[in-house]
Amino acid sequence: MKIRTALTLKYTCITATIFLLCTVLVYLVSEHTRDQTFFRNLKSEGITKANLFLAGQVDASTMQSVYLNNRKFINEVEVAVYTTDFKMLYHDAIHNDIVKETQGMINEILKKKEIEFHVGKYQGIGIVYTYKGRQYIVTAAAYDGYGYSNLVGLQETLIVLFIVGLSLIFIAGYVLAKLSLKPIRNIVNEAEMITASHIDRRIPVKNEKDELGELSIAFNELLKRIEVSFDSQKQFVSNVSHELRTPLAALTAEIDVSLQKDRSNEQYRQAILNMQQDAKRMTRLIDGLLNLAKADYCKEEISMREVRLDELLLDVREMILRAHPEYNVELLFSNEEDDDDRLITTLGNPYLLNIAFANLIENNCKYSANHSSIVQISFNGEWSVVRMSDNGSGMSDKDKQHLFTLFYRGAKEKSVEGHGIGMVLAKKIVSLHGGNIAVNSEQGKGTIFVVEIPHV
């Protein structure tokens, strides 16, 4: 069921319920008004007849004759007059006797002075009427034919009004829902025109302050993020294809050359060593890309625990020296007077932090003349600080500007092996842990990486 239909039905049901309650209330109020009005009319008619009888202005037989004759055409009021000791003085039609008075009723009338009651479809009253200092009991009863006839007419009118009103409410609800949802339909039409080849299109915003305007703005922001991600993905795929093509081409060339003619054992050995080097290069590139993908995870998806940075850096140093025995990594610990381990303990993922610091330290070693890096651990305020410095040739302004650009290689790309992933990966991992990374470098004066990570 479409929202337009659902809204129309809900609006109609709610309004119809309120309308029905109002019509029922009108009917009940009308019935109550008719009931009370007729009781007043009975009282007036009873007092009038009692007064005529007790005053002797009209004899009983005449009054009874008038009652019986009128009863053929109208709903005449039947009146009876009694003394307080239950002696009947007058009755319009004793043979009919709608009220059927009893001693108990007389006593109740004397006690309450006035009562109202129903006898089947008839209404009746009983009152104490005082005439010339003496008290009499007067009862009156009749059927309110005129009132009930009007009530039936009102009931039919209300039913017709309810049916007509319900139809109009449904039509009005449908039109209102259609008009209200028309902007959403326009948004849907615009969204359907946004494709992979037209991802730069945006939903027009007519009113930024209403809910649909906010929805359009949020949707446009989402499209903006998707467009950035989409462009990054295309660029990533393009760069990866380019980077993988080089070692694969070299590997294929080595195989082709080896198969062209018979060679000596030493030549075959050299060819295999070259192929092994190309394969290792592809392995490092693929490992870098996998680690880069892991660094793109949400923080909530990564297992975090307390990690001591001094112990982590010792592990990193051991791992680097095992892979590159010619490198030299020196660890320095500051603030030794404060032995609070929490100041150099952070909440993080050891595997990712290991990769980040290893890439930064290896970068120092690769670009310094003596392949060395000095790593210093300190803290200030809420941050644990790790400084990694070298005495290499430093970086140009262009290299610093593109240092954290994926697959970017600096001016020394031909003399130093790499893929342009390490720095981007390190920055993403540090950001993932809520930290900051900065680089200070001048040509001829070396490079310093400064990593700040919040401690526990």
Side-chain angles (χ1 to χ4, degrees):
M1 182 183 295
K2 290 190 175 182
I3 295 177
R4 179 174 57 192
T5 306
L7 285 176
T8 302
L9 292 176
K10 291 178 181 178
Y11 171 77
T12 303
C13 290
I14 294 173
T15 310
T17 302
I18 297 173
F19 193 16
L20 179 62
L21 291 175
C22 291
T23 55
V24 171
L25 183 62
V26 169
Y27 180 82
L28 293 177
V29 170
S30 299
E31 162 61 16
H32 179 74
T33 303
R34 181 211 61 77
D35 193 65
Q36 294 302 312
T37 301
F38 194 64
F39 275 131
R40 289 194 295 270
N41 292 338
L42 286 177
K43 181 178 179 180
S44 176
E45 187 74 16
I47 292 174
T48 300
K49 281 191 176 183
N51 189 62
L52 288 173
F53 170 75
L54 294 174
Q57 296 179 6
V58 182
D59 59 85
S61 59
T62 301
M63 290 175 60
Q64 290 172 346
S65 177
V66 171
Y67 169 77
L68 293 174
N69 289 328
N70 288 345
R71 207 162 168 264
K72 297 177 182 179
F73 307 101
I74 61 174
N75 296 302
E76 181 67 18
V77 179
E78 180 184 291
V79 177
V81 181
Y82 290 85
T83 62
T84 55
D85 56 355
F86 196 31
K87 180 181 179 181
M88 187 176 67
L89 300 178
Y90 170 78
H91 202 297
D92 275 331
I94 190 62
H95 58 280
N96 189 41
D97 196 13
I98 298 172
V99 177
K100 294 181 174 52
E101 297 84 351
T102 62
Q103 182 65 55
M105 179 184 290
I106 299 299
N107 294 335
E108 184 181 1
I109 295 172
L110 286 171
K111 180 180 179 181
K112 296 182 178 180
K113 303 302 181 183
E114 182 177 337
I115 63 172
E116 297 174 349
F117 54 89
H118 292 81
V119 181
K121 63 180 181 178
Y122 295 93
Q123 290 178 238
I125 64 161
I127 61 173
V128 176
Y129 178 65
T130 304
Y131 182 77
K132 292 185 178 181
R134 293 189 61 183
Q135 289 185 333
Y136 298 91
I137 305 299
V138 178
T139 63
Y143 173 72
D144 187 12
Y146 178 76
Y148 279 118
S149 177
N150 288 338
L151 204 61
V152 170
L154 175 64
Q155 184 179 14
E156 293 174 350
T157 302
L158 291 176
I159 291 174
V160 172
L161 284 176
F162 179 76
I163 295 174
V164 174
L166 190 61
S167 301
L168 294 176
I169 288 170
F170 180 83
I171 295 172
Y174 184 83
V175 173
L176 181 62
K178 184 177 181 180
L179 292 176
S180 300
L181 295 175
K182 184 178 180 181
I184 298 180
R185 181 70 261 175
N186 294 336
I187 292 175
V188 172
N189 293 335
E190 291 289 338
E192 289 176 347
M193 298 177 67
I194 299 174
T195 60
S197 57
H198 297 90
I199 201 169
D200 57 332
R201 292 179 64 96
R202 294 295 181 266
I203 303 296
V205 180
K206 293 184 178 180
N207 187 354
E208 297 181 357
K209 296 183 179 180
D210 64 12
E211 289 78 1
L212 292 179
E214 294 174 355
L215 175 63
S216 298
I217 292 173
F219 193 76
N220 288 337
E221 290 296 324
L222 174 62
L223 286 174
K224 182 179 179 181
R225 293 192 294 270
I226 292 176
E227 183 181 8
V228 171
S229 177
F230 192 73
D231 291 341
S232 299
Q233 184 182 29
K234 289 195 296 185
Q235 184 67 30
F236 180 80
V237 172
S238 176
N239 291 332
V240 168
S241 301
H242 178 269
E243 292 292 326
L244 286 175
R245 187 183 298 113
T246 301
L248 283 174
L251 184 60
T252 303
E254 287 288 346
I255 296 173
D256 290 340
V257 170
S258 301
L259 294 175
Q260 284 179 0
K261 62 179 180 177
D262 292 337
R263 295 174 176 270
S264 65
N265 290 339
E266 184 61 29
Q267 289 175 328
Y268 277 123
R269 177 180 175 79
Q270 185 61 43
I272 291 174
L273 288 176
N274 291 338
M275 287 186 282
Q276 183 187 43
Q277 184 178 1
D278 291 334
K280 287 183 177 179
R281 184 182 177 188
M282 281 193 297
T283 301
R284 287 193 296 270
L285 176 59
I286 292 171
D287 288 341
L289 294 174
L290 290 175
N291 291 328
L292 189 63
K294 291 179 181 179
D296 283 330
Y297 291 167
C298 294
K299 187 174 182 179
E300 293 76 12
E301 299 177 2
I302 296 177
S303 174
M304 298 283 191
R305 64 179 178 84
E306 291 188 0
V307 180
R308 283 192 52 157
L309 292 179
D310 54 349
E311 296 177 355
L312 178 76
L313 290 170
L314 285 171
D315 292 339
V316 172
R317 178 178 180 272
E318 182 181 353
M319 179 186 70
I320 292 175
L321 294 180
R322 187 165 56 247
H324 305 280
E326 72 278 13
Y327 286 0
N328 178 44
V329 180
E330 183 179 356
L331 297 181
L332 301 177
F333 299 94
S334 302
N335 306 94
E336 293 182 355
E337 66 278 2
D338 196 327
D339 58 356
D340 192 346
D341 294 338
R342 293 183 300 103
L343 300 177
I344 55 173
T345 301
T346 186
L347 190 65
N349 182 278
Y351 172 77
L352 293 178
L353 288 174
N354 190 300
I355 293 173
F357 286 117
N359 286 338
L360 293 171
I361 294 173
E362 284 185 340
N363 193 83
N364 281 150
C365 295
K366 283 193 295 185
Y367 290 98
S368 63
N370 56 357
H371 301 299
S372 64
S373 176
I374 299 175
V375 182
Q376 181 181 6
I377 308 174
S378 61
F379 54 84
N380 53 42
E382 63 180 23
W383 303 99
S384 295
V385 183
V386 181
R387 290 179 175 84
M388 292 147 285
S389 59
D390 64 56
N391 59 355
S393 57
M395 289 183 280
S396 64
D397 292 339
K398 179 181 178 181
D399 288 346
K400 283 193 293 183
Q401 182 180 357
H402 297 282
L403 180 63
F404 299 109
T405 301
L406 187 61
F407 297 122
Y408 176 78
R409 301 295 311 283
K412 296 185 177 182
E413 62 173 326
K414 295 183 179 179
S415 61
V416 179
E417 184 180 1
H419 300 288
I421 297 177
M423 293 298 98
V424 179
L425 181 57
K427 182 177 178 64
K428 284 191 175 184
I429 292 174
V430 172
S431 299
L432 190 64
H433 287 76
N436 306 304
I437 183 171
V439 57
N440 298 312
S441 181
E442 294 183 24
Q443 287 187 314
K445 295 185 180 181
T447 300
I448 301 175
F449 295 106
V450 181
V451 175
E452 294 179 329
I453 298 181
H455 56 66
V456 296

